Amino acid sequence: MDSGATKVIVLGTPPPKGNDLELIGKLKRSPRFIEAANRVGVHLESKDALTPIEQRVKLWRVLQILYGDIAKESGATFLSHPSGSESENGSIKPEFDNGDITHANGKYGELMLEKLVNHLKDK
């Protein structure tokens, strides 16, 4: 790559949310998710409505590895989630939860931005 080429950096995704009761409550208030659950026969009242957090974390970690592999194969750099953003069980720490079903918050974004800036400084 010449020095004028654009360098692509792929950012890893935040860890999965870990509070199942809170997630189920939010899913039950979302017409979109209620419709999707009904369509595939998932009962949001069931204890089995969500994949257990241990499996969600394992799947998330596999995805991060795959994102890294694809980035490398494409000549890009992969930056994983910021250290300190995971709880003991691998889920996102509550202070980085946006309060919705899927997203991290601005505090998490600040950590990720700091990681990106430090990476760029080191180059």
Side-chain angles (χ1 to χ4, degrees), residues 33-92:
F33 281 101
I34 292 169
E35 180 184 331
N38 289 337
R39 195 170 45 247
V40 296
V42 171
H43 303 285
L44 294 177
E45 303 299 328
S46 166
K47 68 176 181 66
D48 298 326
L50 290 179
T51 302
I53 186 58
E54 298 82 12
Q55 289 178 318
R56 294 195 314 264
V57 168
K58 285 179 184 179
L59 291 169
W60 169 76
R61 288 185 176 146
V62 167
L63 285 172
Q64 302 315 293
I65 291 167
L66 293 173
Y67 295 149
D69 290 348
I70 292 167
K72 185 176 181 180
E73 289 170 10
S74 303
T77 299
F78 178 75
L79 288 182
S80 64
H81 67 289
S83 62
S85 61
E86 284 181 67
S87 296
E88 283 186 29
N89 68 0
S91 66
I92 194 165

Side-chain angles (χ1 to χ4, degrees), residues 3-24:
S3 61
T6 301
K7 296 185 182 1
V8 175
I9 299 174
V10 177
L11 302 180
T13 61
K17 305 221 177 189
N19 187 330
D20 289 357
L21 291 176
E22 188 175 309
L23 278 173
I24 289 291

